[in-house]
Amino acid sequence: MADFVSLKASITQKGAVLLGKRIACDAFDDFRPLRIVTHAHSDHMVGLQQSIRRCQFLIMTPATRDLLGVMRNSSFLRLDNIKALNYGETLTLLDEQLTLHRADHILGAAQVLVEDLEGTRIVYTGDFRMPNTPVLEADILVLEATYGSLFQIRWFQPVVEDALVSLVESGLNNGPVCIFGYNGKLQEIMQILHTNQIDAPFIVPEKVFQISKVCECYGMQLGKFLSEDEDEAKEITERNEPHIALYHMNSRRYVGKEALRISVSGWEFSGPRRQIAPNEHVIALSDHSDFNGLLRYVEESKPKLVITDNYRAGNATALAKEITKRLGIEAKAMPQ
Ligand SMILES: [Zn+2]
């Protein structure tokens, strides 16, 4: 059975997750007319320009389309071959059916389900975080493997948000706070701080501002945020009034030297918060499942075969081994 079903899903050397007969997810593939972008992180947008030129359709959720419109450029939104598909809406592709399902990761993130005429359910999780991602039952499951090592467990996950909030609160007593993170997570941080009644304004670069606007359009509650180019933001920073500056992680070396600095990263397993310099901390907020979350997804999905994603950063080989050992399910890392 497993040999037969395994022909229906694979991951190429270039990172394309192939599902059924026509679909390539998260990278371009020469022989697949349909490209799915599961979410707007760069390691899932491999070969996007090639896909735009050569694919019949690029399929993604409306939120992912709008995020790409900001991250790439607005002409992206007007391309004829971009097709927005809502969660739960089914698209029939000859003898296969495609549905996107919500994944708790960043705004717009989707899991992909392909069902064929033989009734095989082929699922690709994309990136996700448990426990708030709905588990899809699968015959073949293609699984992300970012934290696929059995040592990558965040036992302290329930208290991470509190650790972030209290660190920001104490920092604001002494001046501005500067937070570094990736797109999507920065907006999650704004939402966490806002819902915890931290009312100092957020000041962000123009790109982060535009991404935040999209998140707000789709219902996230971020509180008051200003572009650093606005006069009001300039006055706040010149007077050194309490505020929270948020930057993409790539700017970490260049800005915010005088502030309390917080880097937010999932690559932390010792505790919710770690001090790395006199004025700098790391908060272990992740938008991925830890090892236990990945295993729990597999257990509940009940697949006959698991393929772990060995193209993107992570521990796909170790994860496949543990899935077979602990759950008795055939599992392999791809590409080899
Ligand atoms: Zn991601």
Side-chain angles (χ1 to χ4, degrees), residues 44-64:
H44 296 260
M45 294 194 277
V46 180
L48 196 65
Q49 286 306 326
Q50 261 178 311
S51 296
I52 289 170
R53 281 197 304 273
R54 294 181 47 193
C55 287
Q56 187 185 1
F57 287 113
L58 283 81
I59 299 165
M60 62 200 77
T61 63
T64 296

Side-chain angles (χ1 to χ4, degrees), residues 51-211:
S51 296
I52 289 170
R53 281 197 304 273
R54 294 181 47 193
C55 287
Q56 187 185 1
F57 287 113
L58 283 81
I59 299 165
M60 62 200 77
T61 63
T64 296
R65 175 200 58 196
D66 293 352
L67 287 173
L68 291 188
V70 170
M71 292 172 179
R72 298 275 159 155
N73 62 63
S74 57
S75 63
F76 182 84
L77 304 176
R78 294 189 294 275
L79 294 168
D80 289 338
N81 55 350
I82 302 290
K83 179 162 180 55
L85 191 64
N86 288 306
Y87 296 131
E89 198 182 326
T90 295
L91 196 65
T92 300
L93 314 160
L94 301 174
D95 54 353
E96 293 174 322
Q97 292 202 313
L98 163 72
T99 318
L100 301 181
H101 292 265
R102 198 178 63 77
D104 180 26
H105 180 58
I106 64 164
L107 178 78
Q111 308 181 73
V112 185
L113 167 65
V114 175
E115 295 166 281
D116 65 15
L117 282 180
E118 287 154 342
T120 307
R121 290 170 63 88
I122 311 157
V123 170
Y124 168 43
T125 60
D127 288 349
F128 71 101
R129 169 173 57 186
M130 292 296 270
N132 294 323
T133 295
V135 175
L136 307 178
E137 282 197 15
D139 296 300
I140 310 172
L141 177 65
V142 183
L143 182 70
E144 71 127 314
T146 308
Y147 299 116
S149 153
L150 75 166
F151 303 108
Q152 293 174 321
I153 294 170
R154 277 181 294 271
W155 49 270
F156 46 79
Q157 190 166 314
V159 299
V160 171
E161 289 192 16
D162 290 347
L164 171 68
V165 171
S166 64
L167 183 58
V168 171
E169 262 173 346
S170 67
L172 286 171
N173 291 329
N174 301 310
V177 171
C178 198
I179 301 179
F180 302 95
Y182 290 99
N183 292 327
K185 201 188 279 181
L186 288 176
Q187 287 71 28
E188 184 187 1
I189 291 163
M190 291 159 79
Q191 182 162 265
I192 290 168
L193 296 175
H194 173 61
T195 52
N196 281 280
Q197 279 85 44
I198 290 190
D199 53 9
F202 300 116
I203 297 180
V204 297
E206 180 61 23
K207 198 71 141 187
V208 178
F209 180 82
Q210 289 176 21
I211 292 168

Side-chain angles (χ1 to χ4, degrees), residues 2-17:
D3 268 356
F4 172 66
V5 294
S6 69
L7 298 172
K8 297 184 179 183
S10 60
I11 305 177
T12 69
Q13 296 292 340
K14 290 179 178 170
V17 176

